[in-house]
Amino acid sequence: MKLVIERRDTSSALLRFSAPMVSIVVALLFAGGLILAAGINPLDAYREILYEAVGSTYGLSETLVKATPLIFAGLGVSLAFRMQIWNIGAEGQIYMGAMGATWVALFSGLENHWLLMITMFCAAFICGGLWAGVAGVLRARWRVNEVIVTLMMNYIAILFVNYLIYGPWRDPQGFNFPLTAQFSEAARFANFFDTRLHSGFFLALFCALLLYLLMERTVWGYQIKVIGSNPQAARYAGMRTGVAIFAVLFLSGAIAGVAGLSEVAGLQYRLQHGISSGYGYTAIIIAWLARRSALGVIIVSLLMGILLVGGDSLQMLWQLPIAFVYAFQGLILFFLLGSDFFIQYRVKLIKGAQGG
Amino acid sequence: MKKTMVMALVILLCGFAGPVLAQDKQIKAGFVYVGPVGDAGWTYAHDLGRLEMEKLPFVEPSTYIESVPEGAESARVINGLVRRGHNLILTTSFGYMDATIDVAKRNKDVIFMHCSGYKTAENVGTYFGRMYEPRYLSGIIAGKMTTKNIIGYVAAFPIPEVIRGINAFTLGVRSVNPEAQVRVVWTQTWFDPGVERDAADSLLDVGADVLAMHQDAPATLQAAEARGAYVIGYNSDMRHFAPNAFLTAPVWNWGALYTQLAEAVHNGTWKSEQIWWGVKDGLVGLADIHAKVPDDVKALVQERTAAIVAGTLHPFTGPLKDRDGHQVLGAGETMSDGEMLSMNFFVEGVQGTLSK
């Protein structure tokens, strides 16, 4: 008897659809065992998680709020993935976008709401884009590995924002705490339904639609896919891969940068620590699970929102430790990522096969 | 006619009786923690206070949520506690300030207490302790115990609270040992044992023989224990992490404040104020001084503790110069609370970086 793992040539639509479903069920069973071990009925726990996240207008609004930066960052990362470019730097691009938007909000002297909105958007877009664009230039011109560059630039971005909030941008009325001043009303997104749901969410959906059209309905989108799957063929066909690499990384970072705008203008109203609690890294998982599709990014981000918001209830209701909540969320992701493996590979038992 | 009069009177009386009854209200408290309760430091100390508060007959079992990210994310957790019927909510880190104020605005019937911030509202008070007093006292012990006159200080973030602690400690050191220097390393984290350990080791490498720290984890203590140096803890009595190295620790006794707070809310005497208690009120103090500290040093610490309690000794009393030799306080002047709360300079004897 021998265990053989082989790559599938094709995977059926049924398999691609059912594998994630099955893996969620398996994950829930496993996590259920964990919850049971903590002395809680897993069905109660799952009901509470769902109720917390989608059971009320409030819960639903919070889930959408949580999903918003994930959608932006997920779209950015998945765009680069299309071209087999690994943008690990969405976290830093979020910070740079937030920084650009904050600069406009506090120091541009603009007072008109729409003018501010447009300028803040452009600033976040360009800052996030250029930040990722550095990796694009290095990759296109000198073949420097973009994984390392984008990852390392996260630290630079976060520390640079730290420098600003501890130094030149510190609120003069803030008792020397590391915060910028608060944005004026004109520099804030609108809120809806008397909740924290803000325009950023709808902007994220719009962004997803644009990206879908770009990727599926334009020549440029087609080129990206070709360059991604076969760079030699692309070059042979006369495509300018260098320019495309830069453009894709720029756009990828720009969209992540808009997540930063959405967080400062929609929620925080100032630049401070914790603008992003790891959204840029979560976005990598999201892009992977979404199989690089824009609609997939929205769905997975919402699921992630439910998982993160609903996780609160485990702590609030049963006083389960945070480590338990992390373990629960980790298990779900582990099984989801695992299902990906079974879609791409086939595991076979071969009877009486000879070794070697 | 008469009947309606009586009815009106009854209704009127009920109207008056209502608030009287409400004054004897049961307390359901919710705590928002920045770290895990098992951090052995900051959050652990708050949790001890919470448990002490729970012993009061009118306090129902309370709820805590641990490792809540600072910033906008915390608003959801705070709101979740409100929605689950908590009527006294304590947010125990600076980064929850905006979120606390925001949630409080929408929930006027809930009382909020925010630790270490500066924003108040009708139903939001702030609370903190004059930790600089025990910091100063622990400095006396460090100044007496160092032989190399180099004392290391592992510090979290360059914010007024931490800077105040470093300065008070240094003033304590220099009051008994004017030759000694205090070297500061910033970790830019409240809770990251690995980073804290590296920072502590780097201070030991430059020759420090006594370490002090402003962190939530006991990693600095473990570093001192491993290298045979002395160490001064923080937050809670951490001596079991460094049985040989431990000298003392400035500690929090939140129970003293939390029980009084619960009583005030229960009796209806609570009002929004900015509480800043010191050694005198029992909120802050020194952990038992280790036996290896000579008796004359212990006696000196006791004497100065008594002077602080009596109000005759204030650690920030002139003549006081900053690190660059500029006079901050003239002879006999003491620093105001406002100046202490926004402190952003190092006193003479501190070596470290601080952005202006």
Side-chain angles (χ1 to χ4, degrees):
Chain A
M1 289 273 277
K2 197 182 166 201
L3 203 62
V4 176
I5 296 170
E6 60 182 31
R7 204 181 171 94
R8 292 180 198 271
D9 298 329
T10 56
S11 49
S12 68
L14 179 68
L15 181 69
R16 265 180 286 143
F17 178 76
S18 61
M21 297 300 147
V22 171
S23 68
I24 288 182
V25 171
V26 176
L28 289 179
L29 283 177
F30 257 81
L34 210 62
I35 294 171
L36 204 60
I40 295 159
N41 180 348
L43 291 177
D44 284 348
Y46 293 145
R47 199 174 47 232
E48 280 301 325
I49 289 174
L50 264 186
Y51 181 78
E52 180 79 22
V54 294
S56 62
T57 318
Y58 171 77
L60 192 61
S61 74
E62 284 297 324
T63 301
L64 299 184
V65 165
K66 188 78 189 171
T68 301
L70 297 175
I71 296 176
F72 279 121
L75 287 174
V77 172
S78 69
L79 171 67
F81 278 9
R82 283 263 181 156
M83 205 174 155
Q84 309 281 330
I85 298 263
W86 310 103
N87 176 9
I88 312 297
E91 186 78 359
Q93 291 140 21
I94 292 172
Y95 271 84
M96 291 322 269
M99 183 202 76
T102 303
W103 185 84
V104 172
L106 295 180
F107 306 111
S108 69
L110 297 173
E111 281 167 12
N112 178 283
H113 175 65
W114 286 107
L115 202 58
L116 265 171
M117 288 294 107
I118 292 166
T119 325
M120 283 166 75
F121 179 89
C122 293
F125 192 86
I126 293 169
C127 285
L130 286 180
W131 199 250
V134 172
V137 172
L138 291 174
R139 163 77 197 258
R141 199 125 177 93
W142 295 287
R143 295 173 158 264
V144 181
N145 187 331
E146 78 282 1
V147 173
I148 311 287
V149 178
T150 50
L151 177 67
M152 290 304 173
M153 282 176 72
N154 285 343
Y155 300 103
I156 302 175
I158 293 168
L159 288 172
F160 184 65
V161 166
N162 268 355
Y163 159 74
L164 291 174
I165 61 179
Y166 277 102
W169 287 13
R170 193 167 46 190
D171 179 9
Q173 265 88 53
F175 293 89
N176 284 323
F177 279 99
L179 308 165
T180 67
Q182 281 200 314
F183 295 4
S184 66
E185 289 292 332
R188 299 179 184 189
F189 282 178
N191 286 80
F192 300 95
F193 315 119
D194 197 28
T195 64
R196 299 204 299 160
L197 183 65
H198 53 84
S199 327
F201 176 70
F202 303 102
L203 188 61
L205 294 185
F206 184 64
C207 216
L209 177 68
L210 282 186
L211 215 60
Y212 168 79
L213 293 177
L214 180 75
M215 292 308 296
E216 308 297 336
R217 297 278 181 274
T218 67
V219 177
W220 195 68
Y222 176 71
Q223 285 188 349
I224 286 176
K225 271 186 275 185
V226 173
I227 295 171
S229 47
N230 195 339
Q232 269 86 18
R235 221 167 291 133
Y236 187 70
M239 294 177 190
R240 300 178 61 194
T241 54
V243 175
I245 287 172
F246 173 79
V248 161
L249 261 170
F250 179 90
L251 197 55
S252 167
I255 299 168
V258 177
L261 160 76
S262 159
E263 290 300 287
V264 288
L267 281 181
Q268 310 249 42
Y269 308 135
R270 61 164 109 220
L271 195 58
Q272 66 175 75
H273 281 291
I275 283 297
S276 160
S277 45
Y279 297 136
Y281 299 112
T282 312
I284 299 167
I285 303 175
I286 290 174
W288 186 263
L289 289 175
R291 312 207 194 296
R292 308 141 186 84
S293 105
L295 182 65
V297 166
I298 295 176
I299 294 172
V300 177
S301 297
L302 289 173
L303 283 176
M304 205 68 99
I306 292 174
L307 204 55
L308 294 170
V309 172
D312 288 354
S313 65
L314 291 179
Q315 275 209 82
M316 236 173 272
L317 216 61
W318 290 291
Q319 292 282 280
L320 289 176
I322 186 77
F324 186 93
V325 180
Y326 291 157
F328 172 71
Q329 292 165 348
L331 261 181
I332 303 264
L333 290 178
F334 177 81
F335 278 99
L336 273 177
L337 288 169
S339 78
D340 216 55
F341 174 83
F342 288 101
I343 292 171
Q344 289 185 18
Y345 297 89
R346 172 180 302 149
V347 180
K348 275 200 294 199
L349 274 176
I350 299 174
K351 261 188 200 151
Q354 300 293 310
Chain B
M1 189 64 192
K2 209 172 181 182
K3 218 171 181 178
T4 40
M5 285 284 281
V6 173
M7 280 301 284
L9 202 68
V10 167
I11 289 168
L12 210 68
L13 277 176
C14 285
F16 279 117
V20 174
L21 283 174
Q23 275 177 13
D24 285 333
K25 72 172 168 188
Q26 289 290 108
I27 289 170
K28 182 134 183 76
F31 288 75
V32 182
Y33 294 151
V34 71
V37 287
D39 68 358
W42 175 257
T43 296
Y44 173 70
H46 279 284
D47 206 51
L48 291 180
R50 177 183 74 87
L51 293 172
E52 206 174 319
M53 179 193 206
E54 263 188 7
K55 288 183 192 153
L56 294 172
F58 47 84
V59 176
E60 291 174 25
S62 51
T63 311
Y64 68 82
I65 311 290
E66 58 182 357
S67 294
V68 176
E70 298 187 278
E73 179 126 5
S74 58
R76 187 185 73 241
V77 173
I78 299 170
N79 221 328
L81 287 169
V82 173
R83 286 163 53 80
R84 288 175 193 269
H86 298 81
N87 54 17
L88 171 62
I89 291 174
L90 299 101
T91 53
T92 63
S93 191
F94 173 73
Y96 304 144
M97 181 169 70
D98 288 340
T100 306
I101 294 286
D102 185 45
V103 177
K105 219 180 285 172
R106 297 159 191 249
N107 299 282
K108 297 280 190 197
D109 51 338
V110 177
I111 290 172
F112 296 84
M113 287 297 283
H114 174 236
C115 184
S116 80
Y118 55 84
K119 280 188 182 176
T120 57
E122 197 188 328
N123 54 336
V124 185
T126 63
Y127 65 100
F128 209 27
R130 296 178 187 270
M131 188 44 90
Y132 64 89
E133 293 174 348
R135 285 273 183 206
Y136 171 85
L137 296 169
S138 68
I140 297 169
I141 298 170
K144 287 281 193 186
M145 298 302 282
T146 178
T147 52
K148 295 187 190 160
N149 288 341
I150 301 173
I151 296 167
Y153 202 111
V154 180
F157 291 98
I159 62 173
E161 171 198 349
V162 181
I163 295 168
R164 198 162 59 236
I166 294 168
N167 285 340
F169 176 79
T170 306
L171 291 173
V173 168
R174 306 262 288 191
S175 74
V176 296
N177 184 352
E179 301 298 311
Q181 296 284 333
V182 175
R183 300 204 183 184
V184 176
V185 171
W186 301 111
T187 60
Q188 305 284 351
T189 170
W190 291 116
F191 182 77
D192 187 336
V195 174
E196 294 169 35
R197 178 73 184 246
D198 287 346
D201 280 332
S202 75
L203 287 164
L204 293 166
D205 289 342
V206 296
D209 58 352
V210 181
L211 294 184
M213 61 93 166
H214 195 137
Q215 300 284 170
D216 295 355
T220 306
L221 282 82
Q222 291 159 331
E225 180 77 11
R227 303 266 292 262
Y230 288 130
V231 70
I232 288 172
Y234 173 55
N235 279 315
S236 66
D237 189 334
M238 296 177 164
R239 73 185 65 219
H240 55 286
F241 289 101
N244 298 305
F246 185 86
L247 297 174
T248 185
V251 293
W252 294 100
N253 175 22
W254 295 107
L257 196 153
Y258 288 162
T259 47
Q260 278 218 16
L261 183 66
E263 268 160 13
V265 174
H266 176 67
N267 301 331
T269 54
W270 183 90
K271 60 181 192 307
S272 167
E273 58 183 330
Q274 298 202 285
I275 294 173
W276 206 20
W277 285 2
V279 171
K280 174 163 66 74
D281 313 282
L283 176 60
V284 292
L286 276 189
D288 287 343
I289 299 170
H290 197 277
K292 69 171 78 73
V293 176
D295 286 341
D296 60 321
V297 179
K298 281 186 195 162
L300 180 65
V301 171
Q302 257 171 16
E303 189 186 304
R304 296 213 182 152
T305 307
I308 286 176
V309 170
T312 53
L313 172 64
H314 190 298
F316 292 100
T317 302
L320 183 66
K321 282 185 185 160
D322 72 9
R323 192 178 44 180
D324 307 321
H326 301 120
Q327 176 162 306
V328 179
L329 293 172
E333 283 182 300
T334 55
M335 198 174 270
S336 70
D337 283 2
E339 286 170 301
M340 279 194 287
L341 285 169
S342 56
M343 191 175 282
N344 192 36
F345 69 94
F346 277 144
V347 298
E348 246 179 336
V350 181
Q351 288 186 7
T353 53
L354 202 56
S355 63
K356 289 286 172 204

